């Protein structure tokens, strides 16, 4: 089981993946102010997004659709976090290509990006925590066909430092499952929690 051994301030000169930024700007009254934030150092040149979040739905004949989720230890919060598959874009990749590649690497499943209703295959550009950092992503909807022979025995293609457990939850049970997992000590990634809250709002206001 993973655990934190120590934590200490990180000097800017030693940072590899992120950097701190001080932004000077004018507020609506013309007053000069400053803002401290962070940003990734991984975004390829000429690209306006960092990566993708993958809404991967498994369709089983005669069964309700299930959402593919992951459990992964995250040192910043000292907990194993419940997440959707996700990853950073490589140079020259579209969001859809990135999503299909990352899905295969992290879960072993082969998927196909599918368009949302009246929209393209990717979501609008979304910012994870704009008061803290400039990190952003596109959601990509991916369909996993379990009748595809390649998906009969999926094998993850993980890097040496990746430890990811894959599991599924029926879409209709996502809100309840998030509550349950939180009580068990898991951290709930905001992307998963937002999906669950969206489903719950739709139920309460009878959109579903």
């Amino acid at each position: 089981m993973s655990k934190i051994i120590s934590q200490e301030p990180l000097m800017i000169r030693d940072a590899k993946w992120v950097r701190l930024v001080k932004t000077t700007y004018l507020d609506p009254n013309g007053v000069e102010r400053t803002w401290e934030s962070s940003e990734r150092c991984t975004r390829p040149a000429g690209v306006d997004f960092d990566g993708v979040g993958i809404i991967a739905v498994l369709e089983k004949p005669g069964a309700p659709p299930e959402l593919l989720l992951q459990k992964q230890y995250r040192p910043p919060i000292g907990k194993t976090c419940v997440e959707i598959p996700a990853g950073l874009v490589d140079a020259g990749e579209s969001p859809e290509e990135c999503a299909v590649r990352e899905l295969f690497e992290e879960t072993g499943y082969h998927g196909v990006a599918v368009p949302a209703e009246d929209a393209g295959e990717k979501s609008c550009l979304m910012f994870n925590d704009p008061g803290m950092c400039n990190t952003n992503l596109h959601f990509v909807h991916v369909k996993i066909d379990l009748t595809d022979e390649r998906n009969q025995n999926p094998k993850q293609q993980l890097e040496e430092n990746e430890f990811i457990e894959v599991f599924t939850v029926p879409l209709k049970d996502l809100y309840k499952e998030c509550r349950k997992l939180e009580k068990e000590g898991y951290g709930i990634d905001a992307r998963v929690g937002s999906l669950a809250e969206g489903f719950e709002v739709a139920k309460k206001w009878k959109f579903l």
Side-chain angles (χ1 to χ4, degrees):
M1 173 178 274
S2 299
K3 66 177 182 179
I4 293 175
I5 298 174
S6 66
Q7 285 185 317
E8 61 188 40
L10 175 65
M11 302 299 293
I12 293 176
R13 65 174 179 272
D14 298 325
K16 179 180 179 181
W17 302 105
V18 296
R19 68 171 184 164
L20 296 177
V21 178
K22 178 181 177 182
T23 301
T24 302
Y25 68 103
L26 296 177
D27 72 11
N29 294 323
V31 177
E32 185 175 298
R33 300 184 185 278
T34 61
W35 196 286
E36 297 177 2
S37 62
S38 64
E39 63 182 29
R40 290 185 181 276
C41 300
T42 57
R43 188 183 299 178
V47 177
D48 67 353
F49 69 102
D50 290 301
V52 297
I54 305 162
I55 302 177
V57 178
L58 288 82
E59 296 184 333
K60 299 179 180 179
E66 297 185 352
L67 182 66
L68 190 65
L69 295 175
Q70 301 179 164
K71 294 176 181 176
Q72 186 170 191
Y73 183 77
R74 294 300 192 182
I77 64 172
K79 290 184 178 183
T80 296
C81 200
V82 176
E83 308 171 347
I84 58 173
L88 300 176
V89 66
D90 287 341
E93 275 188 324
S94 68
E96 296 83 0
E97 291 168 338
C98 178
V100 171
R101 174 184 59 78
E102 285 287 351
L103 178 72
F104 175 63
E105 291 175 359
E106 294 190 351
T107 73
Y109 283 105
H110 293 266
V112 178
V114 296
E117 185 177 353
D118 299 324
E121 295 173 339
K122 65 182 181 183
S123 71
C124 59
L125 188 61
M126 295 182 284
F127 295 85
N128 298 359
D129 188 353
M132 178 66 182
C133 62
N134 72 340
T135 304
N136 58 30
L137 58 78
H138 287 288
F139 272 149
V140 178
H141 296 236
V142 176
K143 178 180 177 181
I144 297 173
D145 181 3
L146 293 180
T147 65
D148 187 327
E149 289 185 3
R150 298 174 299 173
N151 292 328
Q152 299 302 309
N153 186 29
K155 291 184 173 60
Q156 295 167 289
Q157 310 293 309
L158 300 178
E159 297 181 11
E160 180 271 335
N161 63 341
E162 289 184 309
F163 304 89
I164 298 173
E165 177 186 343
V166 179
F167 69 110
T168 63
V169 174
L171 288 175
K172 64 182 180 61
D173 297 332
L174 183 60
Y175 182 83
K176 179 174 64 176
E177 189 66 16
C178 283
R179 295 285 186 170
K180 173 177 170 289
L181 289 166
E182 182 187 33
K183 289 180 180 178
E184 293 175 1
Y186 291 96
I188 307 299
D189 183 274
R191 288 162 285 195
V192 175
S194 294
L195 278 175
E197 293 291 336
F199 291 152
E200 190 68 8
V201 167
K203 288 179 183 178
K204 287 182 178 179
W205 273 266
K206 305 187 186 307
F207 291 117
L208 292 178

